[in-house]
Amino acid sequence: MNKIWKYIGIGLVVILLALQLIPNELPPVQTENPAAIDHSPLLDPEVATIFKSSCYDCHSNETDYPWYSHVVPVSWLVAKDIREGREELNFSEWENYDPLDQLAILDDIYGEVEEEEMPLPIYTMIHWEARIGAFERQKIMDWAERSMDEIAEKIE
């Protein structure tokens, strides 16, 4: 019986090593982002700091890939989450969004932060520094409300 477990263990190790040979396309990183929210007069510097530490890895082109993001099968999940995150909101593309889209995004940010749905628990489990406390949540929500008001005034 012990031999069977030994062969199963060796087989799993071989499979994991073989999986590392499958190429994984992590979304590209760009450090030059002229349309980034950083350039927006709406962005509060304190909120910008929170976004950079808690949101940018998934919601910008400035992802900082940790070592495990290059190890299969975890890399597949990381790549999927980042692609989906950038699709929903990409802070690096903020100025390219239509004002109505910006309003909708700000409303989503408010709701996601209020309901403590962002950042994702699976992310904060590993990235403790990305956790957002009640004070930071309120700062983001206040900023989102102010920004929605400012954009709405410009549209009228």
Side-chain angles (χ1 to χ4, degrees), residues 11-12 16 21 38 43 65 74 80 90 95-96 99 103 112 118 123 130 133-135 138 152:
L12 287 174
L16 277 173
L21 300 174
D38 308 48
L43 189 60
Y65 289 111
V74 176
K80 176 187 151 300
N90 188 335
E95 295 293 332
N96 294 332
L103 283 172
E112 297 279 331
M118 283 288 158
Y123 183 76
F135 178 76
Q138 192 59 54

Side-chain angles (χ1 to χ4, degrees), residues 147-156:
S147 298
M148 284 189 279
D149 291 343
E150 286 183 40
I151 292 171
E153 283 177 21
K154 288 179 186 176
I155 292 174
E156 292 175 353

Side-chain angles (χ1 to χ4, degrees), residues 50-65:
I50 298 167
F51 284 166
K52 285 197 185 279
S53 68
S54 301
C55 309
Y56 265 44
D57 276 347
C58 293
H59 294 286
S60 82
N61 295 335
E62 301 177 37
T63 304
D64 181 19
Y65 289 111

Side-chain angles (χ1 to χ4, degrees), residues 37 39-45 47 94-95 98-100 102-104 106-107 139-156:
I37 197 167
H39 306 298
S40 171
L42 293 175
L43 189 60
D44 176 301
V47 173
W94 180 258
E95 295 293 332
D98 176 85
L100 291 176
Q102 288 178 346
L103 283 172
L106 287 165
D107 188 51
K139 267 222 168 303
I140 293 170
M141 289 166 27
D142 291 345
W143 168 80
E145 264 187 330
R146 279 192 317 273
S147 298
M148 284 189 279
D149 291 343
E150 286 183 40
I151 292 171
E153 283 177 21
K154 288 179 186 176
I155 292 174
E156 292 175 353

